[in-house]
Amino acid sequence: DKYDPGATAVEDPYGDLDPEADEMTDCAANPPAFTETTVVPAGTTKLCVSSLTVGSTLTNAAMSDGETLHDVTIYVTGKNKSTAGNITLHGTFNCTSCTIILTNKDMDPTAKIGQFDMQAQSKLNISAPGSGKYKGIAVMQDRRAADSNQANKFNGGGEQVVSGALYFPSQEIAYSGDGTSEAVCTRF
């Protein structure tokens, strides 16, 4: 219950978890970007996008039936092997029982993998699914992501409620700021 920098390291609980090509076989060859105007059809359980950008004008991503985004795995894949699909949050993003995966549908080990950039004053409210392959993971970056001098940012000044793991096995996470954050059963 207390911070102990001398604690013994634990085995990576997701060490054998990787996005696989067959999960994205029905993704469009050139997936669209997810923006403020994206409406997700009701009942969608998988969404493939080239990037995910939530601007300051978006109050909430929604399903076509008006409900908050829910029960969906979002693959942010870039457009091709050489293009990374990034996530940039300036506005509000809510998703219940969701996993966002930064990956690339091209399974080449050198395929570019995007980064997460949550700007100050943004709002992120995400809960991981309770079952399935990505059980317990709210946001994941493919381990093929190249080492970078830029950390994946979850910046403060905004609001963050994350229930689940923020899993970035190959790159750093910067989790900072003076906003309101609730790390509800959050694992880094």
Side-chain angles (χ1 to χ4, degrees):
D1 292 320
K2 67 178 182 78
Y3 174 67
D4 184 2
T8 305
V10 296
E11 185 176 328
D12 180 352
Y14 307 113
D16 60 351
L17 185 63
D18 290 305
E20 298 172 20
D22 64 343
E23 295 172 45
M24 297 173 272
T25 54
D26 55 348
C27 291
N30 243 344
F34 185 107
T35 66
E36 287 86 10
T37 59
T38 300
V39 176
V40 180
T44 297
T45 58
K46 177 171 53 173
L47 188 59
C48 298
V49 296
S50 61
S51 62
L52 192 153
T53 303
V54 177
S56 58
T57 59
L58 184 67
T59 56
N60 196 14
M63 306 292 261
S64 60
D65 59 6
E67 290 190 31
T68 297
L69 209 55
H70 59 87
D71 302 313
V72 63
T73 302
I74 303 171
Y75 296 90
V76 183
T77 68
K79 292 228 178 239
N80 55 48
K81 173 184 165 182
S82 303
T83 308
N86 293 308
I87 298 172
T88 306
L89 296 184
H90 294 281
T92 300
F93 187 83
N94 295 315
C95 199
T96 305
S97 190
C98 297
T99 300
I100 299 173
I101 303 170
L102 288 150
T103 188
N104 194 307
K105 62 186 179 181
D106 187 312
M107 291 291 116
D108 186 290
T110 63
K112 299 224 183 237
I113 309 296
Q115 290 192 301
F116 196 102
D117 185 9
M118 180 178 171
Q119 299 292 313
Q121 309 312 317
S122 301
K123 295 178 182 177
L124 173 64
N125 183 349
I126 187 169
S127 65
S131 62
K133 178 176 180 176
Y134 299 106
K135 175 183 177 179
I137 299 176
V139 183
M140 173 183 179
Q141 183 184 55
D142 193 313
R143 70 185 72 254
R144 295 178 296 155
D147 191 18
S148 173
N149 60 358
Q150 297 279 74
N152 292 276
K153 296 179 209 132
F154 293 82
N155 285 332
E159 297 175 19
Q160 303 170 35
V161 179
V162 178
S163 290
L166 298 176
Y167 186 60
F168 291 74
S170 301
Q171 291 186 353
E172 293 181 8
I173 295 176
Y175 194 85
S176 62
D178 60 358
T180 57
S181 294
E182 278 186 51
V184 183
C185 298
T186 301
R187 179 179 292 196
F188 298 92

